[in-house]
Amino acid sequence: MIERFKTGALIALVAISLIQSYLLAYSMPGLNATVRSDQNYANSEPMGREMSVESVIFPDQLIVHLGDNKHTVILPGTQFYEMILNQRIKGREFKGFQRNPANMLDWDEVRKNDIGIELRFDSGVPVELLQKLLKLEGDLLFLNETINRIWIFKTTGTEEVRTFFFADDGQMVYESVRADLTVRDVQDYVGFGQYQPTYTMTADGLYYPDNPIVASEIVYPYETYSPDLMQRNLFFDPSTTRTWEDRNGSQIYTDGKRGLQVEQNGMWISYTDPAAPQNIENALSDNVFASVEFINDHGGWDGVHRFVNPGLSSKGKLVLFQQYIEHYPVIESAPFHYGYMRLALQQGVVTEYARSLITLGVKEESRKERWLPGGEPLRKTLQSFGRRSEVIALFPALQALPVEEKKMRFTPVWAVRLQDGSEHLLENAYPYGYEPPKQEEPKKEGNAENSGNLTLGGSSGNGRTGSLSSLSNAGLLANKAAGGEPN
């Protein structure tokens, strides 16, 4: 009897042991063994807004070619930018890509003579990310490309619309022979562009306005996230974190592996989580997805940001997001850091994270009109720039500087981007009170290519239609908006 009881007890103990081993191995509720990966953190406290990858992928400029070698530039966030990109290009399908050498056409002639539009993505966007903006279907060669320009135009003297995607290396172009676009779409783009300031192109493809353009100098109130809040977001066990102050007055947090440096009187952080170097190739698209998710979980977003490709030299490891205020990107005013978030990653794991802790108020405190130079004065300044041969982009921007307690001033400037990805101040705005000479309004000539009826609801034929004159009121408003006024 006793032996039978011992045998039963032994069997029961073995069974219980097996059940416990099974539950532990498969993490069943109630018996969960918590194992943290190297990138597990404490529950993040709410800070900035969350964003999607779709919201950080957009062109930095729309170049509208009006025919007769006339052009204009439309900036993000302006009325016509939204009408062209979001209402007339997003949602269209681009299929049937054919690969050709980049010199297959005389692009200077196309630019001068054929009406159309270019979507520019400065240093290029991988097609996998571009698919978040547009409906693209292509072969593996195309899907693995990085695209820095999309050019849609109507060939002069025909009813043919052609669409080209330019590879960032400058060697190849991909023509979408089954693009969901019509002649009327192209006429819409050109119709909107006719109300914008006119631009001239340099020999190397930079555009500058023929006359001064208006912008705004804005002062915003701001608050800052506390370094302690950021520390709690970035260290999975804050109780083990040590802190001290270095000679420069920066606060240093560390848990023995990760490090967090807080600079600029609590307004800027640099976070590091060292990882062993890997020889495996980094996929930039994967790292962008991982970066957006990481920022959502650790600090969030203050306003609009655009993904900027740091270029081939980063080997897919660096990801940069540039902040926009209304229509303009923010550039640094060294040594003050502000206007971007920079991350370094190894196979989707964040190893470095630098960002501002400043969060701007919802409403500006003041706004003053400022004019940016154009025409010959701007062209001469560009030509005399010390690193002119390295310039790949010319654009209006805002410089940010704290002016007094809890206030930030954003001043309009002309800036340039160089081949190495760095951005530099080129020209300041004219002084307060400057008013440019009055320009004569050019007469609009009737032209079957550039005017006539425009579809306001897309090319399907179901939208409202009207002539260019019916758009004049909106066009005059957007003309000012293109120079920097809010919509």
Side-chain angles (χ1 to χ4, degrees), residues 81-316:
Y81 182 99
E82 298 299 322
M83 293 175 76
I84 292 173
L85 183 64
N86 294 327
Q87 297 180 21
R88 285 166 171 76
I89 296 181
K90 273 187 180 179
R92 299 302 175 86
E93 295 183 345
F94 299 88
K95 302 177 180 179
F97 285 94
Q98 294 182 355
R99 190 169 184 257
N100 296 288
N103 61 359
M104 66 172 292
L105 292 177
D106 185 338
W107 298 109
D108 285 338
E109 288 300 309
V110 173
R111 183 180 288 108
K112 290 175 184 177
N113 301 320
D114 297 334
I115 63 171
I117 188 169
E118 287 183 62
L119 285 66
R120 291 199 168 188
F121 296 89
D122 50 51
S123 299
V125 175
V127 170
E128 186 177 355
L129 296 177
L130 201 54
Q131 287 178 311
K132 294 294 181 179
L133 179 70
L134 305 172
K135 294 181 179 180
L136 308 176
E137 290 184 16
D139 60 19
L140 283 176
L141 277 175
F142 175 70
L143 295 177
N144 287 321
E145 278 286 7
T146 296
I147 301 299
N148 64 8
R149 253 191 314 163
I150 302 171
W151 197 336
I152 303 165
F153 63 92
K154 174 190 174 298
T155 56
T156 302
T158 77
E159 295 298 299
E160 182 184 18
V161 174
R162 304 186 73 176
T163 302
F164 290 88
F165 290 66
F166 289 71
D168 188 52
D169 61 10
Q171 301 300 310
M172 293 291 168
V173 294
Y174 294 81
E175 182 175 10
S176 174
V177 295
R178 300 203 317 274
D180 180 23
L181 294 166
T182 68
V183 170
R184 179 165 286 182
D185 291 317
V186 178
Q187 289 174 337
D188 279 0
Y189 310 150
V190 173
F192 296 145
Q194 293 214 5
Y195 296 100
Q196 310 304 301
T198 57
Y199 280 67
T200 295
M201 193 191 79
T202 64
D204 56 343
L206 308 180
Y207 289 86
Y208 62 91
D210 296 331
N211 298 291
I213 59 173
V214 70
S216 292
E217 180 172 285
I218 314 169
V219 174
Y220 274 97
Y222 72 84
E223 299 293 334
T224 56
Y225 298 126
S226 74
D228 287 342
L229 179 57
M230 224 40 225
Q231 178 246 342
R232 291 195 296 273
N233 267 271
L234 289 166
F235 294 100
F236 70 82
D237 188 359
S239 65
T240 65
T241 305
R242 294 180 295 112
T243 181
W244 71 88
E245 193 171 295
D246 70 7
R247 296 178 190 175
N248 300 320
S250 299
Q251 290 176 284
I252 309 292
Y253 296 83
T254 182
D255 63 358
K257 179 176 181 285
R258 302 170 178 86
L260 177 67
Q261 183 172 359
V262 183
E263 307 170 77
Q264 291 183 176
N265 297 318
M267 292 190 285
W268 183 264
I269 62 160
S270 299
Y271 169 77
T272 56
D273 184 3
Q278 300 179 29
N279 294 324
I280 305 172
E281 184 179 349
N282 276 268
L284 178 58
S285 297
D286 292 344
N287 282 344
V288 171
F289 284 108
S291 295
V292 171
E293 183 178 353
F294 185 91
I295 294 172
N296 284 342
D297 292 339
H298 304 100
W301 306 76
D302 182 43
V304 175
H305 287 71
R306 183 176 62 86
F307 163 68
V308 177
N309 188 346
L312 292 175
S313 60
S314 72
K315 298 180 179 178

